Amino acid sequence: MTSKISDTALSQLSDLVASKFGMHFPKKLWPDLERRAHAAAQEQGQQNLNRYVQLLCSGASPRELEALATHLTVGETYFFREKRSLEILKQHIVPEMARVRAGRQLRIWSAGCATGEEPYSIAIMLSRMTAESMDRNATILATDLNAVALHRASEGVFGDWSFRDTPQWVKNGYFETTSGGLRTIAPAVKKMVTFAHLNLMDDVYPSLLNGAHALDVIFCRNVLMYFTPEAMRKVVGRFHRLLAPEGWLIVSPTETSCELFSEFTTISFGDVTLYQKPAVGPQVSVGSPAHDGAKFLIQAAPGIPVSDESSTTSSWAHQEPPGNESCLLSARILYDQALAAYKQGRFHDAEQALNTLILQSPDDTPGFLLLARVHANQGRLAKALTCCDTAIAADKMAACAHYLRAMILQEQNALPEALLALKQAVYVDPHFVLGHFTLGNISLKQRKLKESEKHFENALLLLARYEPEDIVPESEGLSAGSLREMIASPTGQGIAANRTGPPHLRVRVSQRLGNPELSRR
Ligand SMILES: C[S@@+](CC[C@H](N)C(=O)[O-])C[C@H]1O[C@@H](n2cnc3c(N)ncnc32)[C@H](O)[C@@H]1O
């Protein structure tokens, strides 16, 4: 191995790593970067480090990047780390959520979960609450960039180092001791957590499919501290969009920052600072430099055409009585107001404008679909579904409406109904790439491997008509090239994963929900 690497190559590598993974390797950390790159190169069978870096920088495949990432990440973690946050979750956040969310499942995300100690600690805390008569269910989604760590997390077997500052009651009550002194997590706790691969720098979340939307609590501890300032801002902006109103962001005590979390309300619990999204959406302008929120919010929404681009064609036009121009104008204004409010996260304002619009035009398909998204983004899935049904009743040929319906049904775990809705979407529009792609995902989830391959093949066939940089119709700016890569990606993102990936990674986490920046006429 040629181990000496030029400063130019290290600088390029540091830029690549920042843009792909958000990680910050300033010059003083270059020796560390070099050591890690060296290990990655060796694993990849590359003898010349300079050449390896050049190959990476001149267009690495997702598989190569994934391999590199496993050598760059710091996976330090242990059970009940920073336990005050967990106590606050139990004593304050969950009881408050029980009151505010009234009957809805609590949705928690451990973003950057490493080998699983954090999400399992959350699950233990919640199961303890259940024992103390907390009858609410919770879903815990745990994601990480490092596929090797995720695999270990899903196995749920831990050595002493994972319990280095862990209360005895946790060790005694929630593990079985196996040979060699290892401890295996109790099955009841294990099944509370769903693991998935997700790069926080990718534009793949939130989505109704991966569960990362309308969240109540995000734990992202000891992750942002490794990021560049730009990456931190990007990710925190997204977290803000992902959280339901009054949702909580929990970072580690060393990561608190007035500037970075300025859109949140800062709440102190003694020496612990947490961040809460205000009850009403933020009054930020589109394109605010503090975050990429406007774009993100669009991504958060299921794929339906709702744009103000009146020149774009759509298969479903605004249904107004001919000649009724003032009505048309006021419907248009109301819709535009609702869309602007929606983009800024002012869901309440969006809902008000849409209710007025719908009162005026009860057959307004785009209006109902935007309202469905407003509800879905706040976790009100039943209402969102009703809006979709009304939209479809008004226009059965609206493929996007069927698609959105499928996303919501899938979120409700009604997979057969979701499949049916997707089949309707591709029936009314056989060229609907995202429809085929999602059919592939659901089949994959159901372990119907042949079917899923067929759907992915259909998606690939349709994608062959596009240039790599073309934007996939109804996607939120996803390029055809990226979607192709997702289908072929090795980790839980397509046909290849289906054949080789560990089972918990097989569910695609990069489902796109479609582009609301399409036409309304
Ligand atoms: C130090 S561990 C933190 C684990 C846990 N949250 C805790 O506080 O104990 C940091 C984790 O962040 C993950 N990570 C780093 N960059 C990431 C990215 N771009 N996307 C997702 N996860 C990332 C790493 O793989 C690593 O597992």
Side-chain angles (χ1 to χ4, degrees):
M1 161 78 67
T2 310
S3 57
K4 204 67 215 132
I5 182 168
S6 68
D7 272 7
T8 315
L10 275 172
S11 164
Q12 283 174 341
L13 183 60
S14 144
D15 288 349
L16 176 83
V17 163
S19 73
K20 296 288 182 192
F21 310 131
M23 289 175 205
H24 194 31
F25 280 96
K27 196 161 186 179
K28 65 176 182 202
L29 292 181
W30 283 2
D32 184 35
L33 179 61
E34 179 174 354
R35 188 176 50 77
R36 290 166 182 273
H38 187 274
Q42 272 193 326
E43 190 190 72
Q44 297 291 300
Q46 281 287 347
Q47 295 308 312
N48 184 317
L49 193 51
N50 278 300
R51 190 165 153 59
Y52 173 65
V53 170
Q54 263 155 27
L55 283 174
L56 286 174
C57 294
S58 60
S61 68
R63 189 188 291 271
E64 286 161 342
L65 286 173
E66 223 164 70
L68 174 67
T70 61
H71 288 274
L72 296 178
T73 56
V74 176
E76 269 306 297
T77 184
Y78 52 89
F79 282 95
F80 278 66
R81 183 180 198 177
E82 293 154 14
K83 48 179 96 51
R84 270 295 289 145
S85 311
L86 293 168
E87 282 163 10
I88 294 165
L89 177 77
K90 177 175 178 269
Q91 288 161 6
H92 181 89
I93 297 179
V94 174
E96 187 191 294
M97 288 288 167
R99 186 179 55 76
V100 175
R101 305 285 190 252
R104 173 161 89 63
Q105 262 201 341
L106 196 64
R107 306 167 67 95
I108 300 177
W109 180 23
S110 162
C113 65
T115 35
E117 286 85 338
E118 178 178 86
Y120 287 138
S121 299
I122 297 167
I124 290 171
M125 214 41 159
L126 293 182
S127 62
R128 197 167 149 83
M129 291 191 74
T130 310
E132 290 166 12
S133 83
M134 205 254 345
D135 62 351
R136 306 193 68 236
N137 276 329
T139 60
I140 303 170
L141 173 71
T143 64
D144 201 278
L145 171 66
N146 188 324
V148 176
L150 276 174
H151 186 59
R152 282 189 48 206
S154 72
E155 286 177 335
V157 182
F158 300 92
D160 280 348
W161 190 236
S162 295
F163 300 92
R164 56 189 177 272
D165 189 22
T166 306
Q168 198 60 40
W169 63 265
V170 175
K171 293 194 246 181
N172 292 346
Y174 295 90
F175 296 86
E176 271 173 29
T177 306
T178 46
S179 57
L182 296 173
R183 290 187 174 88
T184 305
I185 191 88
V189 175
K190 191 175 184 190
K191 74 171 188 222
M192 290 174 71
V193 183
T194 304
F195 291 100
H197 183 267
L198 188 141
N199 179 357
L200 288 168
M201 288 301 283
D202 280 351
D203 295 337
V204 296
Y205 62 102
S207 83
L208 289 171
L209 187 72
N210 65 20
H213 71 105
L215 290 158
D216 297 306
V217 188
I218 300 175
F219 279 82
C220 185
R221 300 184 302 171
N222 306 294
V223 178
L224 294 174
M225 61 167 69
Y226 299 105
F227 279 22
T228 63
E230 195 191 338
M232 285 185 202
R233 277 195 293 277
K234 179 173 170 166
V235 171
V236 171
R238 289 182 169 194
F239 285 165
H240 190 273
R241 299 289 165 183
L242 275 169
L243 283 166
E246 297 180 76
W248 294 83
L249 172 61
I250 302 182
V251 296
S252 92
T254 51
E255 292 167 315
T256 55
S257 152
C258 296
E259 194 254 317
L260 186 60
F261 303 107
S262 60
E263 291 201 53
F264 292 83
T265 308
T266 303
I267 314 260
S268 295
F269 295 85
D271 53 351
V272 176
T273 299
L274 304 186
Y275 297 100
Q276 187 174 30
K277 179 169 173 171
V280 179
Q283 309 287 316
V284 293
S285 61
V286 171
S288 157
H291 60 76
D292 60 351
K295 180 169 176 274
F296 185 63
L297 188 62
I298 292 161
Q299 292 169 341
I304 48 174
V306 288
S307 143
D308 33 15
E309 293 293 320
S310 53
S311 60
T312 315
T313 54
S314 165
S315 59
W316 39 303
H318 185 199
Q319 310 284 312
E320 290 293 345
N324 190 349
E325 280 180 16
S326 68
C327 182
L328 183 68
L329 188 64
S330 96
R332 167 86 203 207
I333 290 169
L334 281 168
Y335 184 86
D336 288 351
Q337 279 174 356
L339 180 63
Y342 174 80
K343 283 179 178 178
Q344 293 171 10
R346 292 184 287 112
F347 296 129
H348 181 68
D349 293 346
E351 197 174 333
Q352 274 194 333
L354 288 167
N355 282 336
T356 312
L357 164 64
I358 284 161
L359 214 62
Q360 204 174 293
S361 331
D363 286 341
D364 195 297
T365 301
F368 272 105
L369 288 183
L370 184 53
L371 190 55
R373 294 167 56 192
V374 168
H375 287 313
N377 271 284
Q378 295 175 94
R380 300 196 294 250
L381 296 180
K383 281 191 174 176
L385 203 58
T386 307
C387 290
C388 277
D389 290 342
T390 312
I392 291 170
D395 182 359
K396 291 190 175 47
M397 297 306 282
C400 287
H402 292 287
Y403 178 68
L404 171 56
R405 192 164 173 274
M407 295 293 100
I408 295 165
L409 285 165
Q410 188 173 255
E411 176 62 13
Q412 293 178 321
N413 232 353
L415 286 191
E417 290 87 345
L419 271 175
L420 198 65
L422 279 170
K423 283 179 183 164
Q424 279 161 342
V426 295
Y427 175 77
V428 297
D429 180 3
H431 297 122
F432 189 31
V433 183
L434 279 186
H436 292 286
F437 174 71
T438 314
L439 276 167
N441 273 324
I442 297 191
S443 309
L444 197 59
K445 219 173 169 178
Q446 295 182 319
R447 304 273 192 272
K448 293 181 181 164
L449 304 188
K450 275 205 171 137
E451 266 181 49
S452 86
E453 283 207 26
K454 176 114 199 55
H455 293 306
F456 287 136
E457 271 163 23
N458 285 342
L460 285 174
L461 275 176
L462 290 169
L463 284 170
R465 303 169 175 200
Y466 295 85
E467 294 299 324
E469 63 281 5
D470 287 346
I471 299 304
V472 177
E474 317 296 345
S475 82
E476 72 284 12
L478 174 68
S479 72
S482 300
L483 185 55
R484 246 179 243 144
E485 272 180 15
M486 280 181 199
I487 294 174
S489 165
T491 306
Q493 302 196 8
I495 300 167
N498 184 20
R499 294 185 183 122
T500 59
H504 71 283
L505 294 179
R506 285 182 187 162
V507 177
R508 184 185 313 269
V509 295
S510 49
Q511 173 63 51
R512 313 302 292 232
L513 288 175
N515 182 7
E517 288 293 291
L518 297 179
S519 171
R520 170 189 174 82
R521 291 181 299 161

